[in-house]
Amino acid sequence: LTKSALVVRDIDLLRQFQQASIGVSLMTIHDDIARHFEPRASVPSERLDALRELKNVGIRTYAFISPYIPAISNIEDIMPALEGIADEIGVEAINTKAGNWSGVEHVLATHYPERLAQSTLHARDITYWEVLEQQTRQLIEAIHVECMGFFRH
């Protein structure tokens, strides 16, 4: 599992392993949004291109939508982008109990202040996550991909 598109440099090595499985994590498919939250990672378009390249040479691929941040991540945008390039998809809810939530709040307040209240409210709302999990599982099934799971903290 990586946030780097540079994994494609190792395709020749990875192809030597019969059961290699390479995954990328993403929280959004929008490069401009990702740059605010993950400034040192490859942008999502590069990660999706890497998955596509790996899949095209026969390497098993997966996507891990993590962290899923309410009012930022959009499952309906992400799933079509993964169709045909991921063999498995998993989702991990943002962990509001860990120390990383303060960093997320800071980015929201700085770059997306209009989304901060909604994101904070939904991040702590069990019903929000239950509905999102059902929707996610339906979308994964619709694109004929395996579901790795929906993980909450």
Side-chain angles (χ1 to χ4, degrees):
L1 181 63
T2 183
K3 290 183 181 289
S4 176
L6 296 177
V7 68
V8 297
R9 294 183 307 184
D10 296 325
I11 283 178
D12 289 337
L13 175 65
L14 295 168
R15 289 178 76 184
Q16 294 177 29
F17 298 96
Q18 290 181 349
Q19 295 187 5
S21 181
I22 306 300
V24 298
S25 63
L26 6 120
M27 54 163 300
T28 180
I29 59 166
H30 302 289
D31 293 352
D32 55 334
I33 294 173
R35 282 187 184 102
H36 293 129
F37 287 92
E38 305 168 326
R40 290 179 271 302
S42 297
V43 292
S45 61
E46 293 172 347
R47 291 182 233 175
L48 293 169
D49 287 344
L51 271 187
R52 188 173 294 104
E53 190 172 342
L54 291 160
K55 179 78 171 161
N56 285 342
V57 298
I59 296 172
R60 186 167 173 79
T61 59
Y62 65 95
F64 198 56
I65 303 165
S66 175
Y68 193 97
I69 302 173
I72 295 294
S73 304
N74 184 326
I75 202 70
E76 291 177 350
D77 287 346
I78 296 170
M79 287 301 165
L82 295 172
E83 187 171 8
I85 62 172
D87 297 302
E88 284 185 284
I89 299 171
V91 178
E92 180 185 30
I94 182 72
N95 185 350
T96 60
K97 299 170 190 151
N100 60 348
W101 180 247
S102 62
V104 170
E105 279 185 314
H106 175 74
V107 174
L108 286 166
T110 303
H111 298 285
Y112 308 98
E114 71 284 0
R115 300 182 192 186
L116 177 59
Q118 180 185 13
S119 186
T120 302
L121 178 68
H122 288 324
R124 294 181 170 97
D125 180 359
I126 293 170
T127 303
Y128 171 84
W129 294 112
E130 289 171 349
V131 170
L132 182 66
E133 181 175 358
Q134 289 176 356
Q135 181 185 21
T136 299
R137 290 184 184 280
Q138 290 170 350
L139 290 168
I140 289 173
E141 186 176 316
I143 62 172
H144 310 289
V145 175
E146 293 178 42
C147 181
M148 295 169 58
F150 192 100
F151 306 94
R152 294 183 247 170
H153 301 277

